[in-house]
Amino acid sequence: MIRIGVHRSTYKVIAFAFVVGLVLPSLMQAQLLSFPKQDLVDYTAQNPFDRSTDGRPKIPDDLIDRARELSSEEVWAVLEEKGFHNQYADGFHVLHPGKTMVGRAFTVQFMPLRSDIDEIAKAKAKEHGMPRLMNQTAIDMLQPGDVLVVDLFGKKVNGTIVGDNLFYYTMKATHSGGLVVDGSIRDLNGISEIDMPAYFRAVDPTPIGEVMLTGINVPVRIGGVTVMPGDLVVGDREGVYFVPPHLVKEVLDRADEIHIHDEWTKKKFDEGKYKSSEIYGSPSDPKLQQEYKDYLKKRLDEIHKQRSSK
Amino acid sequence: MIRIGVHRSTYKVIAFAFVVGLVLPSLMQAQLLSFPKQDLVDYTAQNPFDRSTDGRPKIPDDLIDRARELSSEEVWAVLEEKGFHNQYADGFHVLHPGKTMVGRAFTVQFMPLRSDIDEIAKAKAKEHGMPRLMNQTAIDMLQPGDVLVVDLFGKKVNGTIVGDNLFYYTMKATHSGGLVVDGSIRDLNGISEIDMPAYFRAVDPTPIGEVMLTGINVPVRIGGVTVMPGDLVVGDREGVYFVPPHLVKEVLDRADEIHIHDEWTKKKFDEGKYKSSEIYGSPSDPKLQQEYKDYLKKRLDEIHKQRSSK
Amino acid sequence: MIRIGVHRSTYKVIAFAFVVGLVLPSLMQAQLLSFPKQDLVDYTAQNPFDRSTDGRPKIPDDLIDRARELSSEEVWAVLEEKGFHNQYADGFHVLHPGKTMVGRAFTVQFMPLRSDIDEIAKAKAKEHGMPRLMNQTAIDMLQPGDVLVVDLFGKKVNGTIVGDNLFYYTMKATHSGGLVVDGSIRDLNGISEIDMPAYFRAVDPTPIGEVMLTGINVPVRIGGVTVMPGDLVVGDREGVYFVPPHLVKEVLDRADEIHIHDEWTKKKFDEGKYKSSEIYGSPSDPKLQQEYKDYLKKRLDEIHKQRSSK
Amino acid sequence: MIRIGVHRSTYKVIAFAFVVGLVLPSLMQAQLLSFPKQDLVDYTAQNPFDRSTDGRPKIPDDLIDRARELSSEEVWAVLEEKGFHNQYADGFHVLHPGKTMVGRAFTVQFMPLRSDIDEIAKAKAKEHGMPRLMNQTAIDMLQPGDVLVVDLFGKKVNGTIVGDNLFYYTMKATHSGGLVVDGSIRDLNGISEIDMPAYFRAVDPTPIGEVMLTGINVPVRIGGVTVMPGDLVVGDREGVYFVPPHLVKEVLDRADEIHIHDEWTKKKFDEGKYKSSEIYGSPSDPKLQQEYKDYLKKRLDEIHKQRSSK
Amino acid sequence: MIRIGVHRSTYKVIAFAFVVGLVLPSLMQAQLLSFPKQDLVDYTAQNPFDRSTDGRPKIPDDLIDRARELSSEEVWAVLEEKGFHNQYADGFHVLHPGKTMVGRAFTVQFMPLRSDIDEIAKAKAKEHGMPRLMNQTAIDMLQPGDVLVVDLFGKKVNGTIVGDNLFYYTMKATHSGGLVVDGSIRDLNGISEIDMPAYFRAVDPTPIGEVMLTGINVPVRIGGVTVMPGDLVVGDREGVYFVPPHLVKEVLDRADEIHIHDEWTKKKFDEGKYKSSEIYGSPSDPKLQQEYKDYLKKRLDEIHKQRSSK
Amino acid sequence: MIRIGVHRSTYKVIAFAFVVGLVLPSLMQAQLLSFPKQDLVDYTAQNPFDRSTDGRPKIPDDLIDRARELSSEEVWAVLEEKGFHNQYADGFHVLHPGKTMVGRAFTVQFMPLRSDIDEIAKAKAKEHGMPRLMNQTAIDMLQPGDVLVVDLFGKKVNGTIVGDNLFYYTMKATHSGGLVVDGSIRDLNGISEIDMPAYFRAVDPTPIGEVMLTGINVPVRIGGVTVMPGDLVVGDREGVYFVPPHLVKEVLDRADEIHIHDEWTKKKFDEGKYKSSEIYGSPSDPKLQQEYKDYLKKRLDEIHKQRSSK
C-alpha cells in the first residue's frame, strides 16, 4: 500500500524506494562490498548442480519439490553430522505457519545509512550508467524458485523490506518462493492475504529508510548463520535452515528414511503392545529390528518407483 | 467470570470492583488529576465535528465506517507528513487479528495504589455524593462507537481491566467498539469468544487491584503516544493508531487514493510485462503515468458516486 | 521424527534417548534426589481420594471430566482464598489454544549434565539391574489421565523433552492428557497435528542432551510453582494451574456457581436495562439480589440432577 | 555541555530547551493536566509539617538530615506495616553509589509530543504572559532540599532531562538534593564529576525532545510508585523510596532502633559464642532478651540526648 | 538491618526468619527432598581428599589458598578438556570485583511456598524435635572455608537470602568464604562495607518469604550448573566456576603453567621484536620454543621449591 | 592467559588462534568479502588528510590529541547538523569509564563459521602463500594510534576477540589506542589491569571459535553504525562515536566553543544571581549576550595562541 501522494513530497525516507532500470553487468561496481561472480563460484565449488546465469548454484526443481516435505529436525540430522552447527535461525514471526518455505537463497545486504558513503555509491552507480541500488533493484532480479533473504541487521523502524505491493510482486516473480528478513515488513494486513511464506522479525508502518543497500547475492548473516547465494532455504513452523547445495541430496534421502521410520513407529505404537523404549529410536528386540529393516526397504523401493514414474 | 462468592469475602483487591451509581457532573471532583470539560474543548479546538455531551470530539459515524478499511501504513502516510511522529503504539496481543478496530477514544487512567491518597479520593467522592471511582465507573459511561483506552502502565498482575463479564458489557455498550489497554485482561478463554477487537499487553488470572483510577477522559499515555479523548482509534494486525479528529478526513481521502493505487499496481503486475521499479511507487514511463492518472480519476469518481448514493 | 540413522553414529546427545526396560521398584535407587513413596504419601496426607500404585493421589475420573470446564480465574478464586499464592505458571507457548488441558501431574526433573555425577548414577542403575534413567524411562510409566510435567529449567537448545514420535506415544498413553515442560520440544510441524494439549517454552531442532534425569514423581518447580505428583493440572489459553487434590472438589463447586453467575449476568446485560455496576459483581438492588439467588438455586439443582442421572 | 552554536540553527529538538521567565501564579493554566494547590493540600492532608509556598509539605531540615542514615530496608519495615506496598522503585543507574540521596520531591511530568496539543498549550501560556513550559521552567523553581523527580516514561533517546550544565545548576539550586528520572541524562562525563546523587534509566547524547512538559508538582508515576510533591525521597545503592510525609517521623524512629539492634547483634556475633539463630532477629534466651532491651534503652537515651544538645 | 520491631508483628514473611536450635542428625527427615550422607559419598566417590563430618569432600586449605590466583579461563581450560561443559554460571552482580572468591560449596535449596506441603514439613520437623527449616538453619551450619551456594530460582522480591546482619555472621563463620545466590540480597548499603565476596542476581528491600527451604547440602542448580556439596567454588570478575574436587589439583597445576606462559609471553612482547602470532599461543620458531620450554621448567622448579619451603 | 597446554590438544576452537606470517599484499585474495584499496580511497574521497599505506585516511596526531577532550554530546552536535544520524553506538561494558578512547578505526569483520566456505578460504589463502585469516592476522597489522573495531555480531560464547595476552599486545601495538568489539572478551581479571580503553558486549571464559574472519579494513557494522576504516573513534562513559575524517576538524572547533560556553555558564551560575533559563542555552539579556560573545572571543584567542605555541 504505498502511498501515491508520497512521491510528490520531499520526504526523504520515501524517496529511497524509487525508480530503477536494469543493472546486472556493472552491479559490482556500485555496491559497497564486492563479491565477484568468480568468488561466488570459487566459494561454492562443491556445488554438484548447474548454476544460474548470476553464478548461483541452481538446485534442480525436482529436489526443491521434494524439500517441501522437510522439517527442521530432518535437516538438523544431516547438517549436525557433517559439522555444520551454524545453519539454523529462529525467533521469527512466521506468516503462514502451516506452509513450508522452500527455495534458492537470493541474498541482499543493507547497512546503516552514512551520507558520505552513500553519495559516493550513487556517483559510482551513475558513472556506470546505473540508478542507485535500492530494495527494488534487488527485487527486480528475482527468479522463479528464489527465496529473498535480506540482512537488515534486525532493524524494525525503517527496516521494512517490503509492503504489500512489493510482497505481491515478489510472490509473482518467485512463484511463491518466500521471504526471510532479519528486519521488518509493513502492510501486514495486506500481506497476510497473499499466499507466500515469509519470516520476519517485526512489523512497522514506516517505509524502509536510513539504510544503504550494500550487496546483492553476497554472503550475508541471518541470526547466527552465514547464508550463501544459492543455498537451499527451508522454513517450517520453528525456524529456517540454510542448506549448502552439496548437502541437499543427502538431506532429502535421509528424510525419506526418517519419514518411513516415523510411519513404522507410529504403526507399532498404534498396536498398543509396546513401551516407547521398546520401539523408539531403534527396536531392542532383534525380530522387531528385522521387521523394521524389511519395512524400510519395501517403502524406499515404493518411493523410488513412484518418483521415477513421474 | 467474576466470582460470585468473592463479594462475601474480605479479600481486598476484589472489593475494588464494586457498586457504583451515576456520576458525571461531579466526576472531576473525585479524580486525582483534573481535566475540566473546558480544557478538553480548548485542547481539541481544531476539531471540525460536533462534540459528545462530555465534550469529546464526535467523529461522525459515516467516517468511522469508512475508517474500517484503514491500515497502519495509510494512517502513517498523512500523520508523518503533518509532523505527528508519536501517534502509533504496538507490541500488543491482538485478540482478533483479522478484524480492524475503529472508534472514538474513551480514556481511563490508573496509577499505583497509595493508601493516603486513596482515602482522600474516597472521601472527596463521598462528599460529592459519588461512590469511589473504579473500572466500572468508567465502563458504565461508554457510548456506542467508543473504544475504551486504558493506561494501566503495563501492569500485568492485578492490572486486568476486565474479565469476560465486563468485556461482554463493553461490547454491548460500545456496539463492538473495542479495547486498548496498556495492561492486562483476565478470562481470555471467555473473552476470545466475544466479537469485539481488543489489544492488551498480557493476560493474568488476578482481578484488578493495587491501583487507583485517577482520571476518566483525561489525556493518557499508551506506549509512546499521548491519547486525547475523542481521538479516532484505528487498530490493525500490527498496532494501534490514535488520529487527532482534525486529521481524520484527510487520512480517509488519502486512503482512497492509496487503495486505488494498490489496485492499479496489482493489475499492472498481473500483466507480467513490467519490473516492479517500472510501476511502483510511481511509473517511470510518462504514458503509464497518464494511464494511472486517468484510472485514479475514474475510480475516485466511482467511489464518490457510490458513497453519495447511500 | 527421530532419526533412524542416528543410533549407528556415536553422536553423544542422541545416545541419550535409548533402550530401557522396566524399573519401578528400584527407581529410587538410581535417581540423584530421592522422594520415597512414603514421603509422597506423607506430604499429600490431605488427599481425600484413592492413590495410584505409585503413591500419587488419584483424583477420580468424573472430577477430571468436570474440570474440563475450568478456567484460570475460577481456580484462582479458591486457591487465593485458601492462601495458595504460588500455584500458577504462565509464559508458555500453547499448542492448541482452544482446548483445555486437564489431568493428574506426573512429574519429571532434569538437571544440567555433570559427568562425574552421571557416571555414578549409571553405575547405581546398573547395580540395581536398571538401564540409565532418561526421558523414555519416565514416558513409559505414564497412565491414562496423566499430564507429563517436566522441569527442564527453561532450557531451549538440547532441552527438548519430546519430538513428534514420543509426543504421539504420550498422547496414546495418557489418553490425550497433556504435557507441560519448562523447556522445549522439537518437531513442532508434526506435533501440531496431534490432538493433545501442550505447554512449552520454546521449540528447537536439537534432541535432548547435556542433562541428567534426576527424579521421577518428585516435587518439581515449574516457573514459580512447586508441583506435587498427583496435583490436578488445569491449562487454558492463559497458563497452567496446579491444584492440590484436597482443594479440587471446592474449586469445581465454586466453578459451578461462577458459571451460573456468568449466565445470569449475561442475561441481565442482554436485557439492556442495567448499568454494569448495577449487576456485576453482585446486584445492588435487593430485588435483583433475590432474583439472582433464586436463579442460582434453580440452576444448581438442575446441574446436580443432571450429574447424578449420568 | 550544551551547545553554543545550536541556538542559531533551526534544529527542532533543541529549540525546546530555551528562555523562560517566571511563572508560578498562572502555571496551572498552561499545563495539560491540572492539580491545583488546594488539591495538593487536600490530598496530603495528613502532613504534620509546614508547607512550602507552592503548597508542598515541607519536611523539616533536621528530619531530612536524620534521613541521610536510612537504607531501603529501614523504610520498607514501616511502610509495609502501614500497608504502603508501592512506594519503592529500582532498576536505575546510580551515579554515586556510596552517597545516600535525601530530600523533598519536586515532581515533573512529561508526555509524548503531539503537535495539536502542544500548539494549544503554547497559546494558553502566551495568553497568561508565560513562555511555554519546558524542563528549565521546572528547574528554575527548585528550592534547597528538593529532589527533582521526573516522569519521562522511560524514554532514552531525546528523553534526557539534563546535561551537565543544568545538572550543575540543579546541584546549586537544591544544595545537592538530587535527581530521579524515569528517563535519561546526557553529558555523563561531565555529570559524574558533580557531587549530587542521581538515579536515571539510561544515558544518551541527544537533547530532550519529542515530549511536552504536562505538569509541575503534580502526582507522577516512577516505576510502580505514585509520587506526591513533597514526599521524602530516599535513595541508596539499591533504589529509591518515596515516603509520605506523615510517616517520616515513624520511619526515622524505627531506624534508630534498627541501628541499635544491628550494633548489638554485631557485638554479640563478634563475641563468637552464639549461633546466628540464637541472636537474630530476636534472642531466644530470656536473659539475652533482657540484655538487649537494656542496651536498646540506654542507646536510645544517648541518641536523644545527643540530638537535643545540638 | 533486621528489624527489631518486626518480631512483635504478625507479618508473615518476617516470621519466617526466626529461632532455630541445632539439627544435624535428623535434618534429612524434615527436608522435602532427601540426599542421605551415603548418597553424597557415593556421588562424589572420585574425591581424593578427606571429608567433613557432614560427608562433603574437604579440599585441603593449601589448595584453597592456591586457588585464589585462578581466573575463569584457567578453570575453563581443564574442565572443557575433561568434558565438563556445564560448570560455569554468570550474569551475577559481583560485590567486590577485584577480589577472587574461593571455597567449598555449602548448598541450600528453596522452592516456592505451598502451604499444604509446608505444614507437613513443619510437623515432620517437630516430630523429630527440630524447629522448621529456614535460612538461619543453614547459615548456622557453615564452616570456615565454606561458600554459601543458594538456589532461590532467580527470585527477586522475597528472594533475599541475607541482609547485612546475616551476611556479617556468614563472613565470620566462613572466614570470608563467600556467597553465591541465584536470587537476591537486601541491605546492600551495609553489605558493601563487609569484606566477603558475594554474587547475586538482584537486590531488594523485602525479607525472604513465600518460599520453603527444601534441602541443605543437596545437589542444586545455579544457572546452568549442577553444584554438588563440597565443590571448589571459584568466582572472579566474570562469573563463578564450580569445580569437582577430583579435578582441583589438575586445574591448579595447569594454572601454574598458564601463569608462567603469560609471564614469558608478556616479556617477549615487551622486547618489541615479535608479531603476536610469532609468540602466542605457541612460538613458531623452534629456537623460541626451546627458550620457552627452558623458562617454563625453571619457573616451575622455583614455584615448587617456594611452596615446599613454606 | 592462553593456555600453553592447549596447542597440544586437538580442541578445535583453540586451534583457531594460531601462527600467521605477514600478509598484506594478497590479503584481499583470502577474505570472503573484498574491499580493494581503491574502493577505500574512492569511498573516503572527502578525506582532507594523508593516508596510511593501507589506504586508510590518517587523521593527524595533533587532532587525535585534541579529540581526547571530546564527549559524545559534542560530537553529536556537529554530526546531527550534518545529517549523520547513525554514527553512535552504546550499550557496551566500558573497561575504564574515566578514560576517553580516541584513535583511527582499524576494522575487522567476522561471520558465523560454515565449513564449506571456510575450507575454500583456507585453500585460497594457501594458494597465495598466506596462513588462514584469524584474529591475530588482524592484530599483527595494528599501528600506533589505531583503535581495533571488531564486528562479531554480538556473539558472547566463543565471541571473545582477545584475552589478556592479545589485549596486552594490542595496547603495545596501538600505543593504548583502544578496542571496540560488538562481541565479547575473556580474561577480564587480567585485562582490567591493563591501561587501554575497551568497549565490549560481554565477557566469557571460552576462546574465540565457530566464526570466520571475513574482512580486514572493510566497512563494518557496530550496533546501528556503518564504520569505515580510518574513522575517528571517540569513546566516553556513554558510548562510542565514529566520526568521518572530513568532519573531524569541525567537530573539534565546535567543541572548543562548547567548552568555553560551559566555562562561562558555570561561572554565571556560580555568581548565584541568575535563573538557569536566563543564562542557558543562550542568555536572554542582550548585555549578557554581549558579555558572552566577548568572553568567547577572548578564550578562543587564548586557546589558538596556546596551540600554535606548542
Side-chain angles (χ1 to χ4, degrees), chain F residues 13-62:
Chain F
V13 292
I14 304 276
F16 194 77
F18 281 92
V19 189
V20 156
L22 218 329
V23 295
L24 208 73
S26 50
L27 181 65
M28 222 52 67
Q29 311 306 324
Q31 61 188 36
L32 185 59
L33 290 168
S34 54
F35 189 64
K37 185 171 163 178
Q38 188 53 49
D39 271 14
L40 176 49
V41 171
D42 288 355
Y43 277 101
T44 56
Q46 299 182 65
N47 167 45
F49 309 118
D50 280 352
R51 291 180 182 275
S52 307
T53 52
D54 56 15
R56 287 184 296 154
K58 187 166 183 187
I59 300 162
D61 286 344
D62 62 324

Side-chain angles (χ1 to χ4, degrees), chain F residues 1-305:
Chain F
M1 300 183 195
I2 241 187
R3 265 106 293 242
I4 38 184
V6 170
H7 65 278
R8 285 172 303 213
S9 87
T10 62
Y11 198 75
K12 191 186 63 171
V13 292
I14 304 276
F16 194 77
F18 281 92
V19 189
V20 156
L22 218 329
V23 295
L24 208 73
S26 50
L27 181 65
M28 222 52 67
Q29 311 306 324
Q31 61 188 36
L32 185 59
L33 290 168
S34 54
F35 189 64
K37 185 171 163 178
Q38 188 53 49
D39 271 14
L40 176 49
V41 171
D42 288 355
Y43 277 101
T44 56
Q46 299 182 65
N47 167 45
F49 309 118
D50 280 352
R51 291 180 182 275
S52 307
T53 52
D54 56 15
R56 287 184 296 154
K58 187 166 183 187
I59 300 162
D61 286 344
D62 62 324
L63 296 189
I64 298 275
D65 275 351
R66 278 178 63 190
R68 276 183 220 295
E69 304 299 315
L70 288 174
S71 72
S72 289
E73 285 73 19
E74 293 160 358
V75 180
W76 178 89
V78 171
L79 265 63
E80 195 66 15
E81 221 177 84
K82 301 288 179 186
F84 285 74
H85 307 300
N86 306 316
Q87 298 302 117
Y88 176 69
D90 63 359
F92 296 100
H93 295 254
V94 182
L95 184 64
H96 300 305
K99 195 179 166 87
T100 305
M101 175 175 68
V102 184
R104 303 173 193 97
F106 182 104
T107 68
V108 181
Q109 186 196 43
F110 288 85
M111 289 182 78
L113 182 68
R114 183 172 157 152
S115 54
D116 53 346
I117 301 305
D118 197 44
E119 288 307 312
I120 313 272
K122 271 189 289 194
K124 288 204 165 205
K126 200 170 169 186
E127 185 187 330
H128 292 87
M130 294 163 43
R132 69 179 301 192
L133 298 185
M134 56 183 210
N135 53 349
Q136 285 180 285
T137 318
I139 288 170
D140 277 352
M141 295 165 66
L142 290 167
Q143 299 301 318
D146 283 350
V147 171
L148 179 59
V149 177
V150 183
D151 175 5
L152 259 159
F153 49 92
K155 192 173 171 64
K156 180 178 187 275
V157 176
N158 297 139
T160 51
I161 183 65
V162 293
D164 57 359
N165 282 311
L166 290 182
F167 191 85
Y168 183 80
Y169 183 86
T170 300
M171 182 268 288
K172 287 261 165 182
T174 64
H175 294 189
S176 291
L179 166 68
V180 184
V181 57
D182 199 345
S184 58
I185 60 162
R186 60 194 312 228
D187 293 320
L188 180 57
N189 266 19
I191 279 177
S192 60
E193 289 163 15
I194 298 171
D195 186 29
M196 180 173 79
Y199 295 73
F200 44 91
R201 300 285 183 207
V203 183
D204 204 74
T206 56
I208 195 166
E210 292 288 325
V211 294
M212 314 178 282
L213 193 160
T214 49
I216 293 180
N217 278 329
V218 302
V220 297
R221 189 173 61 77
I222 299 293
V225 184
T226 297
V227 183
M228 293 296 284
D231 277 353
L232 176 68
V233 186
V234 180
D236 67 1
R237 284 168 193 271
E238 302 174 27
V240 183
Y241 253 106
F242 300 91
V243 185
H246 70 282
L247 296 174
V248 166
K249 186 66 171 43
E250 182 158 359
V251 165
L252 290 169
D253 290 345
R254 177 73 61 86
D256 284 344
E257 295 184 34
I258 297 176
H259 290 160
I260 295 165
H261 185 257
D262 287 352
E263 238 176 66
W264 185 80
T265 301
K266 197 175 163 223
K267 213 164 59 95
K268 296 319 273 183
F269 285 169
D270 281 346
E271 296 178 12
K273 291 187 299 193
Y274 305 97
K275 288 281 160 194
S276 80
S277 52
E278 291 167 308
I279 298 299
Y280 180 80
S282 162
S284 41
D285 175 350
K287 243 177 57 189
L288 278 174
Q289 275 186 27
Q290 192 54 50
E291 180 187 324
Y292 169 63
K293 275 185 202 163
D294 297 345
Y295 185 87
L296 174 61
K297 189 175 174 316
K298 195 191 73 175
R299 289 289 293 118
L300 280 175
D301 287 350
E302 290 172 7
I303 287 170
H304 296 156
K305 223 170 283 176

Side-chain angles (χ1 to χ4, degrees), chain C:
Chain C
M1 302 182 194
I2 240 186
R3 264 108 289 253
I4 40 183
V6 172
H7 66 278
R8 284 171 305 211
S9 86
T10 61
Y11 198 72
K12 193 185 60 170
V13 293
I14 304 278
F16 194 76
F18 281 91
V19 191
V20 156
L22 217 334
V23 296
L24 207 74
S26 49
L27 181 66
M28 221 52 66
Q29 311 305 325
Q31 62 188 34
L32 186 60
L33 290 169
S34 54
F35 189 65
K37 184 170 165 179
Q38 187 55 45
D39 271 14
L40 176 48
V41 171
D42 288 356
Y43 277 101
T44 55
Q46 298 181 65
N47 166 47
F49 310 118
D50 280 353
R51 290 178 182 275
S52 307
T53 53
D54 55 17
R56 287 186 294 154
K58 187 165 183 187
I59 300 163
D61 286 344
D62 62 324
L63 296 189
I64 298 276
D65 275 351
R66 279 179 62 191
R68 275 183 221 292
E69 304 299 314
L70 287 174
S71 72
S72 288
E73 287 71 20
E74 293 160 358
V75 179
W76 178 89
V78 170
L79 264 63
E80 195 67 14
E81 220 177 84
K82 301 288 179 184
F84 285 74
H85 307 300
N86 306 316
Q87 298 302 116
Y88 176 68
D90 64 0
F92 296 99
H93 294 254
V94 181
L95 184 63
H96 300 306
K99 194 179 165 88
T100 306
M101 175 176 68
V102 185
R104 304 172 192 98
F106 182 103
T107 69
V108 181
Q109 186 197 45
F110 288 84
M111 289 183 78
L113 182 67
R114 187 174 154 148
S115 54
D116 54 345
I117 300 305
D118 196 44
E119 288 306 312
I120 312 270
K122 272 189 286 193
K124 287 205 166 204
K126 199 172 172 186
E127 185 187 331
H128 292 85
M130 294 164 44
R132 69 177 303 191
L133 298 185
M134 55 183 210
N135 54 349
Q136 284 180 285
T137 318
I139 288 170
D140 277 353
M141 295 164 67
L142 290 167
Q143 299 300 318
D146 283 350
V147 171
L148 179 59
V149 177
V150 182
D151 175 6
L152 258 158
F153 48 93
K155 192 174 173 65
K156 178 176 185 282
V157 175
N158 298 137
T160 49
I161 183 65
V162 293
D164 58 358
N165 282 310
L166 291 181
F167 191 84
Y168 184 80
Y169 183 86
T170 300
M171 181 269 286
K172 287 261 165 181
T174 63
H175 295 189
S176 291
L179 166 68
V180 183
V181 56
D182 199 345
S184 58
I185 61 163
R186 61 194 310 228
D187 292 321
L188 179 57
N189 266 18
I191 279 177
S192 61
E193 289 162 17
I194 299 172
D195 186 28
M196 178 174 81
Y199 295 73
F200 44 91
R201 300 284 183 208
V203 183
D204 204 74
T206 57
I208 195 166
E210 291 289 323
V211 294
M212 315 178 280
L213 193 161
T214 50
I216 293 178
N217 279 330
V218 301
V220 298
R221 187 174 62 77
I222 299 293
V225 184
T226 297
V227 183
M228 294 295 285
D231 277 354
L232 176 68
V233 186
V234 180
D236 67 2
R237 282 169 195 270
E238 302 175 25
V240 183
Y241 254 107
F242 300 90
V243 186
H246 70 279
L247 297 174
V248 167
K249 188 66 173 41
E250 183 157 358
V251 164
L252 291 169
D253 289 347
R254 177 73 61 87
D256 284 344
E257 296 184 33
I258 296 176
H259 289 161
I260 295 166
H261 185 258
D262 286 352
E263 238 176 65
W264 185 81
T265 301
K266 198 176 161 221
K267 214 164 58 97
K268 297 318 274 185
F269 285 170
D270 281 345
E271 297 177 13
K273 291 186 299 193
Y274 306 99
K275 289 279 160 195
S276 81
S277 52
E278 291 168 307
I279 298 298
Y280 180 79
S282 162
S284 42
D285 175 349
K287 241 176 61 189
L288 278 173
Q289 275 186 30
Q290 191 56 45
E291 180 188 322
Y292 170 62
K293 273 186 204 164
D294 296 346
Y295 185 87
L296 174 61
K297 191 174 173 316
K298 194 191 76 177
R299 290 289 291 118
L300 281 176
D301 287 351
E302 290 171 9
I303 287 170
H304 296 157
K305 224 170 281 175
Q306 188 185 6
R307 275 199 196 114
S308 57
S309 77
K310 278 196 199 172

